Amino acid sequence: MSSVTPVITAADLGAALDAGSDVVVLEVRRDPATIPGAANPPLADAPAPGHIPGAHAVDFAELVGPRTETSGNGPLPEEEQVRELVQRWGISDSSLVVVYSADTPSSASRAWWVLRWAGLADVRYLDGGVHAWRASGRELTDIRPATGGGTATVRLGALPTLDADSAAALARDGHLLDARGAAAYAGSADQPTSGHIPGAYSLPGTDNLRDGYLADDDTLKTLYAPYLTGAPIGSYCGGGVAATLDVLALSKLGIPAALYPGSWSQWSSDPSRPIATGSERG
């Protein structure tokens, strides 16, 4: 895990832009039809028209790789896919890359995670997103920046990941966190493939948020205290999106955590994998 802080405030972003620093801003939007409401609450206010000056428009789907019957809903992008995005957005190895979402915090945290996993050195999540930008007294614009010219090195695998087998092992021997809502974790008798990975703990990704902002460090330390035993930590959710809020929050505390990108959508695609139900870990 990089020693660079994963989070930036609106004030610090504004100062970097005012200073003419090498900053690349990415505004991530996701089709609401693909966002389960319980796992992805909206930001503090409905997004206003416009975007942060200099922000490139990013379709969340651009950060998702090719799906297969066994990949889960949010497979990781391929190397050439990321390289083309980096080139389009004008990212160099020295760039500060700032991601935010006008839709949901987890869309931005997933973008943060993917770009860090792809080897970019300095990627930050804008705390509070566009709401924080406006609350700091800054204006929005409808002008998009020029594209092209990006030369940053892409090396996939810079952050730790889990597959189904290693997620199952971590649930037994470490701390595997389920970032979905409590109802999804418990499962339903009407849905035979619902429930959770046996041994996983329920810790919704939304617990990291307070009115669209990440909770302060003391609150996060209290939230994660039961899992800070020195054993490895990992997180999953429905499709590898909401779980990135757990990874982001832990990274903010200086604690590395692995992501299971396939998450429940991949786990439950194989009927031979065990499923636990109810509020207990199983």
Side-chain angles (χ1 to χ4, degrees):
M1 187 72 68
S2 171
S3 60
V4 174
T5 178
V7 177
I8 191 170
T9 65
D12 286 345
L13 171 59
L17 291 172
D18 290 344
S21 303
D22 179 9
V23 183
V24 176
V25 183
L26 305 176
E27 179 198 42
V28 185
R29 289 183 179 265
R30 186 178 181 187
D31 182 349
T34 69
I35 305 174
N40 294 279
L43 291 161
D45 292 329
H51 52 267
I52 293 174
H56 294 270
V58 180
D59 182 343
F60 180 87
E62 296 178 289
L63 299 167
V64 176
R67 292 185 177 92
T68 69
E69 291 183 358
T70 60
S71 67
N73 294 337
L76 299 181
E78 297 176 336
E79 184 168 317
E80 185 58 30
Q81 184 179 345
V82 179
R83 188 173 289 112
E84 290 176 358
L85 294 172
V86 163
Q87 194 280 333
R88 187 210 306 167
W89 297 331
I91 300 174
S92 69
D93 286 329
S94 62
S95 296
L96 162 62
V97 182
V98 177
V99 296
Y100 77 95
S101 175
D103 301 319
T104 59
S106 62
S107 295
S109 61
R110 166 75 179 212
W112 164 82
W113 189 93
V114 166
L115 295 177
R116 284 287 297 112
W117 167 78
L120 300 189
D122 193 357
V123 186
R124 318 270 185 104
Y125 168 95
L126 177 59
D127 196 18
V130 70
H131 170 77
W133 179 261
R134 297 181 69 214
S136 71
R138 297 278 182 160
E139 299 295 326
L140 301 178
T141 182
D142 59 1
I143 300 172
R144 294 291 185 184
T147 59
T151 58
T153 304
V154 173
R155 295 191 185 93
L156 305 187
L159 295 183
T161 59
L162 301 168
D163 59 16
D165 290 339
S166 55
L170 186 60
R172 294 191 304 268
D173 304 326
H175 301 296
L176 181 65
L177 309 179
D178 186 318
R180 298 173 299 160
Y185 175 88
S188 168
D190 298 330
Q191 298 177 329
T193 60
S194 65
H196 58 272
I197 297 174
Y201 297 87
S202 177
L203 200 162
T206 54
D207 286 1
N208 296 292
L209 302 173
R210 301 293 184 273
D211 296 324
Y213 292 81
L214 281 172
D216 62 74
D217 285 0
D218 287 342
T219 299
L220 293 175
K221 288 175 183 176
T222 300
L223 179 66
Y224 287 98
Y227 318 109
L228 304 183
T229 64
I233 304 175
S235 185
Y236 77 98
C237 53
V241 180
T244 59
L245 284 169
D246 282 343
V247 179
L248 175 70
L250 287 163
S251 177
K252 187 170 181 278
L253 298 177
I255 300 163
L259 176 71
Y260 177 18
S263 283
W264 187 252
S265 57
Q266 181 185 61
W267 179 273
S268 61
S269 70
D270 184 343
S272 71
R273 294 189 183 117
I275 292 176
T277 57
S279 59
E280 299 300 321
R281 293 172 58 205

